[in-house]
Amino acid sequence: MTDSETVAHEKRRAHAKALMLAGVAAIGGFLFGFDTSIINGAVSAIGKDFGIGSIALGFVVSSALLGCAVGAWFAGQLSNALGRVRVMLIAAILFFISAIGSALAVAAWDLVIWRVIGGLAVGAASVIAPAYIAEISPANMRGRLGSLQQLAIVSGIFVALLADFVFATAAGGANEPLWWGLDAWRWMFASAAIPAFAYGIMALQIPESPRYLVSKHELTRAREVLKSVLGGNVDQRITEIERSLKSDKPPRMGDLKGPVLGLLPIVWVGILLSVFQQFVGINVIFYYSSTLWEAVGFSQSDSMLISVITSVTNIVTTLVAIALVDKLGRKPLLLAGSAAMAVSLGVMAFIFATAPVADVAGKPQPMLGDLEGPIALVAANLFVFGFGCSWGPLVWVLLGEMFGNRIRASALAVAAAAQWVANWTVSATFPWLSEVGLGLAYGLYAGMAALSFVFVARAVRETKGRELEDMDRA
């Protein structure tokens, strides 16, 4: 074997190792998607079992998101103090506890507590996974590996919705008993314990982030990890990481202070990326999709199946993003996605705003005709397509790579916390907005998609091919 063949072989091995490590870290994303979407098939059942109205039900559904915001906020500080891998283990334990507690909840307030605990884990995973993946990825494949986070999220959503469909169908309804006298909706929650356990076991098998190890002056271990994922001589990279950290003081939240409303401009870009990702209303499709399609005339079984089909669309489009992100770059895909979302949401807003309304069980519901119903369904899936090949994966890629080494974990925590607050705002207000009119709800989301186009065009900087150590340079 020639020297060039040896180098190429070593690089292939290193890239395979980076892919494996990114895949393990992305399991947190799978749980993120699974945990936040498993409630989809249980929404109506929870309302009936606990006898709560739309406002209280909206709070129960969105309660996990409050925990997500708190978990994301503190995950950055914890990961700087304890390391990325230890925070993954903490998240796995919280996921497991939440799954069992939610399945055995005795009242709405009880369920809220367990969902908030699960939210803490989801929030932590939403920070740690993209940070860890960015920090172990070679620059030329960082976009693809970073997109694994979103692929894992949408895969978790798909498996959760499929589990909802299977459990509800097997029991004859989400409110019907399945095994051991427990209703099907309780088994939906309990099923999250399996991937949570797997996440904890797998996290024990991976090395710590090399950037974290350098920050703790564990240079020998950092060198070993970098060599395993990059290949070749990594001494220069170690030197560059040390330069980028710039201080003997450990990273802290105070590093984010800047001249624009108290924060560095780059932190605000991260916050607004996160907020726009949620304000286009994507999670309405996943948290309330079964209930939404029931509201416009589909049966419960058909509604759950449509939700599964929508989640499959999201997986396929994420694969498209993985194929394109390191070729076309982040910014062009974001702009294309914003345009596609604005158009498809506008179509949905028009259809729902002009649909005749009938009184069903004392509530006004839009009645979609033989033409309007399929158009709305196609528009919803085109919206998911536009989101899935752009804003879904690329926000996580950018948040993992756009910040300098010293502020990465803290800035990512702030941006992710803002994302969860925005997610909660959309999810908690949708039941009320849908009662006022689905046309209004989707019209607002369409407006946000249009604004996101302007924001990306003016404020987002391309990061394709740049090393993490160069991100703090203009």
Side-chain angles (χ1 to χ4, degrees):
M1 185 179 290
T2 64
D3 289 345
S4 61
E5 289 175 332
T6 300
V7 171
H9 177 68
E10 186 176 340
K11 282 191 174 182
R12 285 195 296 270
R13 287 182 57 189
H15 287 180
K17 180 65 176 291
L19 176 61
M20 185 271 290
L21 296 181
V24 172
I27 296 174
F30 179 91
L31 276 161
F32 167 167
F34 191 99
D35 189 83
T36 54
S37 292
I38 195 67
I39 199 170
N40 186 295
V43 173
S44 297
I46 290 169
K48 292 176 183 176
D49 271 13
F50 295 148
I52 54 179
S54 61
I55 295 177
L57 184 60
F59 181 77
V60 171
V61 172
S62 61
S63 59
L65 305 180
L66 299 177
C68 291
V70 175
W73 180 266
F74 288 105
Q77 298 172 64
L78 283 174
S79 69
N80 284 334
L82 303 178
R84 282 41 165 168
V85 172
R86 288 192 181 95
V87 176
M88 290 183 199
L89 291 172
I90 292 171
I93 292 169
L94 292 176
F95 273 127
F96 189 88
I97 292 171
S98 172
I100 301 303
S102 297
L104 300 176
V106 297
W109 64 265
D110 182 25
L111 181 58
V112 166
I113 292 173
W114 299 116
R115 294 293 293 160
V116 168
I117 290 173
L120 294 173
V122 172
S126 71
V127 171
I128 295 307
Y132 182 87
I133 292 171
E135 291 175 348
I136 56 89
S137 298
N140 65 341
M141 58 188 299
R142 194 174 57 237
R144 283 166 285 169
L145 295 185
S147 297
L148 289 179
Q149 164 79 345
Q150 181 67 9
L151 180 62
I153 291 171
V154 297
S155 297
I157 291 171
F158 166 71
V159 174
L161 295 176
L162 183 61
D164 285 349
F165 177 74
V166 170
F167 286 132
T169 301
N175 281 106
E176 299 299 322
L178 185 55
W179 299 307
W180 302 334
L182 292 179
D183 287 352
W185 70 265
R186 295 182 180 275
W187 284 105
M188 294 174 188
F189 286 123
S191 63
I194 298 173
F197 181 78
Y199 182 40
I201 296 299
M202 295 294 287
L204 290 170
Q205 312 303 315
I206 62 176
E208 185 52 80
S209 158
R211 270 79 179 181
Y212 169 79
L213 292 172
V214 171
S215 75
K216 296 300 181 182
H217 308 293
E218 297 185 39
L219 301 187
T220 300
R221 287 180 62 196
R223 190 173 289 106
E224 291 173 355
V225 177
L226 277 176
K227 188 173 179 61
S228 72
V229 296
L230 297 180
N233 192 324
V234 297
D235 288 341
Q236 181 179 353
R237 184 58 49 78
I238 293 287
T239 300
E240 290 171 354
I241 294 172
E242 288 182 300
R243 173 196 56 76
S244 69
L245 293 172
K246 291 181 181 177
S247 175
D248 293 332
K249 296 179 181 179
R252 54 193 176 85
M253 280 290 185
D255 297 329
L256 306 184
K257 290 182 180 179
V260 182
L261 298 177
L263 293 173
L264 295 169
I266 191 66
V267 178
W268 279 115
V269 173
I271 290 171
L272 289 173
L273 277 170
S274 293
V275 169
F276 275 120
Q277 189 198 51
Q278 298 306 313
F279 274 10
V280 296
I282 185 63
N283 283 310
V284 165
I285 297 292
F286 293 115
Y287 296 162
Y288 292 101
S289 56
S290 295
T291 303
L292 173 63
W293 296 119
E294 280 184 64
V296 295
F298 292 92
S299 69
Q300 183 184 68
S301 178
D302 287 342
S303 296
M304 287 188 176
L305 185 58
I306 290 170
S307 297
V308 172
I309 293 170
T310 300
S311 69
V312 172
T313 302
N314 209 6
I315 292 174
V316 173
T317 56
T318 303
L319 293 174
V320 172
I322 290 174
L324 296 177
V325 62
D326 285 319
K327 295 178 181 178
L328 300 182
R330 289 55 161 156
K331 191 166 181 175
L333 287 176
L334 286 177
L335 290 170
S338 292
M341 290 189 298
V343 172
S344 55
L345 285 167
V347 170
M348 292 179 72
F350 177 79
I351 288 176
F352 283 117
T354 58
V357 177
D359 188 277
V360 179
K363 292 184 179 180
Q365 290 186 1
M367 306 304 292
L368 303 188
D370 293 338
L371 178 62
E372 291 83 358
I375 291 176
L377 187 57
V378 169
N381 280 282
L382 287 176
F383 164 61
V384 172
F385 184 92
F387 181 89
C389 64
S390 60
W391 281 80
L394 297 191
V395 168
W396 295 114
V397 171
L398 283 166
L399 291 181
E401 69 184 9
M402 66 190 286
F403 306 115
N405 279 334
R406 182 167 179 80
I407 69 168
R408 180 171 300 110
S410 298
L412 215 167
V414 171
Q419 182 177 114
W420 289 114
V421 171
N423 190 330
W424 176 82
T425 301
V426 171
S427 301
T429 56
F430 180 73
W432 173 79
L433 282 173
S434 65
E435 290 183 359
V436 175
L438 287 172
L440 171 62
Y442 286 111
L444 288 173
Y445 305 148
M448 288 297 167
L451 284 175
S452 74
F453 184 95
V454 177
F455 166 70
V456 171
R458 294 188 175 184
V460 174
R461 183 176 59 178
E462 182 59 70
T463 55
K464 182 183 75 169
R466 299 181 65 194
E467 296 291 350
L468 295 184
E469 285 65 52
D470 296 328
M471 293 301 176
D472 53 359
R473 298 174 182 174

